[in-house]
Structures are given as C-alpha cells and as structure tokens.
Amino acid sequence: MEQLQFLFKIIGLGSASGLVYHNNTIVAVGDNSSFLYEYNISTEKLERYPLQENAQENTPKKIKKDFEAITQFEDTIYIFGSGSTENRNTMVQVDAKTKKVIATQDLSMLYASMQSFGEINPEDFNLEGAIYNGENWFLFNRSNGKKSKNAIFTISGKNLTDEFSILHNKFKLPKIKGVETSFTDAILVGDQIYFLATAEATESTYHDGEVLGSIIGQIDVTKMKLKSHKIISKTNKLEGITLVEETPETISFLICEDNDTEVLESNIYKITLKK
C-alpha cells in the first residue's frame, strides 16, 4: 500500500510524458514523438497513430512539438504542447474511438496570455499537465530553477484560441534534497487533483538535469490548496498519471516514467493510496 510498484515495460514507446487508462488499454504520448500510442495490456500490442503529417519518433529537440500533457473528456482526447518554445504551442484533438485527429489548434495567444497573467517569463513557461472537466481547463506549469513558477491555470470560456478567461494559482511544492519539486502531470478525481511532481537539478525548462526524486500529492480543486504529498521515488522522473481503480477506501493510479533518452521503451508503475 502506498508504494510505487513496477508493472511492465512498453517496448516501442519512448520518453513517455502522459497517459490515459480505459478498459485495460493505455493511450499515451511521448514528448519526443509526434505519434499517439495505444497499448493493450492484455495482448501487449502497441499501435501508433500520427498526430501530424510526417510524424516521427525521437524528433530533433529543436523542432519537436513536445507533447507533454494528455487528457480525455467524453469521446475526445486532448494533447498539449508544452509551450516551452515557439514551435511547441499546439493542441491536438483526437477521436478517442478511432484515434484520428479531429482538429489541430495553435494556442500561441493563450500561452502568451497565461505568461502575462501569471508573470511568467517565456523561459520559465513549461506546461506538463492538463485536465478538462467539460467546463474548465486546468493547465499545470512546471517550474525549474530558483524562480519557483509552479502554477495551475484555470481556463474558461468559449474556446482556447481567442475567447477565454484565466485564473492563476501559484504553488510552493515540497522539496527533495533541497530542490523544489515541480509539476509533471495531474488528474482530477471528484473534487480532488492528484498530481506528480519531480525534483530535477536544472534551472532550465529546455535542458534536462539530474533527477532527485518524485512525489505524488493532492490538491482540493475548490480551495486550490495543497492537502498532502508523499515521496514515491528517489530516482525516477515520473511524468504521467491516470486513474485505474477506485474503492470507498483506496484509489489506484498508473504512472509512467520519462527516461529522457532515445530508447523506445517506457516503464509503467502502479500506486494505491488510502483516501
């Protein structure tokens, strides 16, 4: 209970950054790739679906879309670029059943507005998690370095391109080995946000650093206050979380790891928490 448990390795998926679980199937993105991946846990079969023309794996860092966040609402999957450079401002909508791209949107105006509203410099802007509940979007900025720009942006309005309003909540997250952890993903269960955050010895949203560990935490979405947290790894960069099972007493998540290499394999873990 409450310990990170290794489940299996997905061969063919590299640098996993987000996942969604449904009916014994994992849908995932990798931040180096322009494919959407679907992995059947029972058959161990992996399918790939292009998110753009000329899709590729291990895309060169300077041109990659950096798909860091994935969320699903009803029959649509939403995939977000991190916004950490100008070519990473894309959101892709995918039909959850067919895995075909429905629409691709440029979120440059939204991302610029978030930076202005949150007083976050472009070099400190790096979206790593997304939640949509049908009414509001919750987008998670990952802070690296001394400026501590961990934040949750609540976006509402008609769309995410030119008719939206923004709320902004800053967070001071727990430290590991003297380094503040930073958001890497999140999921909404009821009125509770469960999030992952990693401590990394770097002051850049672009360059990776030594991984010092990861935590899982809980935030009340109505109060936007940190309720609890727990260190679940001292070595892993945990970047994706999805709900797999819930009982009256416990809640279980699948978690993926970003190995920050070009090796096309990703570890999947499970953790069960007491409510």
Side-chain angles (χ1 to χ4, degrees):
M1 181 69 71
E2 302 198 344
Q3 298 297 318
L4 195 65
Q5 171 193 2
F6 172 76
L7 284 187
F8 51 81
K9 190 186 298 285
I10 299 179
I11 305 298
L13 166 64
S15 298
S17 56
L19 70 168
V20 173
Y21 173 85
H22 183 66
N23 285 346
N24 214 37
T25 299
I26 291 172
V27 175
V29 289
D31 57 31
N32 283 346
S33 175
S34 45
F35 287 97
L36 180 68
Y37 298 84
E38 183 179 43
Y39 181 76
N40 187 298
I41 297 173
S42 299
T43 64
E44 301 181 0
K45 185 178 181 181
L46 182 68
E47 300 280 359
R48 301 186 311 168
Y49 301 91
L51 295 173
Q52 62 182 53
E53 290 186 6
N54 303 315
Q56 58 180 312
E57 292 164 315
N58 287 329
T59 312
K61 196 161 191 171
K62 289 184 179 180
I63 63 170
K64 72 177 185 178
K65 295 294 185 182
D66 202 29
F67 291 124
E68 287 280 6
I70 181 172
T71 188
Q72 181 173 342
F73 180 74
E74 294 181 344
D75 292 330
T76 305
I77 296 168
Y78 302 89
I79 300 160
F80 289 80
S82 67
S84 56
T85 66
E86 289 183 0
N87 63 308
R88 300 177 176 181
N89 296 340
T90 302
M91 180 183 77
V92 182
Q93 298 178 44
V94 176
D95 185 291
K97 295 178 180 177
T98 65
K99 307 301 183 299
K100 291 184 177 180
V101 173
I102 301 168
T104 300
Q105 293 179 291
D106 181 356
L107 299 187
S108 297
M109 182 182 294
L110 172 66
Y111 285 5
S113 300
M114 292 166 66
Q115 292 171 35
S116 176
F117 192 81
E119 298 180 338
I120 298 174
N121 294 328
E123 61 267 24
D124 297 316
F125 189 74
N126 185 26
L127 297 183
E128 292 264 349
I131 294 169
Y132 184 46
N133 64 2
E135 182 179 356
N136 294 315
W137 297 89
F138 302 95
L139 302 178
F140 294 74
N141 189 65
R142 180 183 182 189
S143 165
N144 281 339
K146 299 176 181 178
K147 294 184 180 179
S148 186
K149 295 295 184 178
N150 280 304
I152 300 176
F153 290 89
T154 305
I155 316 296
S156 58
K158 289 186 178 181
N159 57 54
L160 293 178
T161 52
D162 56 11
E163 292 186 65
F164 51 79
S165 60
I166 301 172
L167 292 175
H168 168 253
N169 293 92
K170 296 179 181 179
F171 283 85
K172 282 280 189 181
L173 295 181
K175 294 181 178 181
I176 299 176
K177 298 179 183 177
V179 176
E180 183 179 357
T181 56
S182 52
F183 289 124
T184 55
D185 202 12
I187 186 171
L188 183 66
V189 184
D191 60 359
Q192 301 299 307
I193 292 171
Y194 291 87
F195 69 89
L196 297 174
T198 291
E200 198 170 357
T202 180
E203 295 183 10
S204 169
T205 60
Y206 188 80
H207 298 290
D208 300 316
E210 178 191 359
V211 176
L212 305 176
S214 297
I215 68 170
I216 190 169
Q218 189 175 354
I219 293 169
D220 188 307
V221 74
T222 57
K223 299 177 181 178
M224 281 296 178
K225 298 292 184 183
L226 181 65
K227 287 181 65 176
S228 63
H229 77 279
K230 175 183 175 64
I231 296 176
I232 56 175
S233 174
K234 296 182 179 180
T235 56
N236 302 97
K237 185 178 181 180
L238 303 175
E239 285 225 358
I241 183 170
T242 185
L243 178 69
V244 67
E245 186 178 15
E246 185 178 11
T247 74
E249 295 81 27
T250 63
I251 187 165
S252 299
F253 301 99
L254 296 183
I255 290 173
C256 65
E257 177 182 9
D258 184 352
N259 52 26
D260 279 337
T261 73
E262 294 187 356
V263 178
L264 295 180
E265 58 184 42
S266 293
N267 292 333
I268 304 296
Y269 301 86
K270 184 178 180 180
I271 192 166
T272 299
L273 306 176
K274 294 179 181 177
K275 287 186 175 178

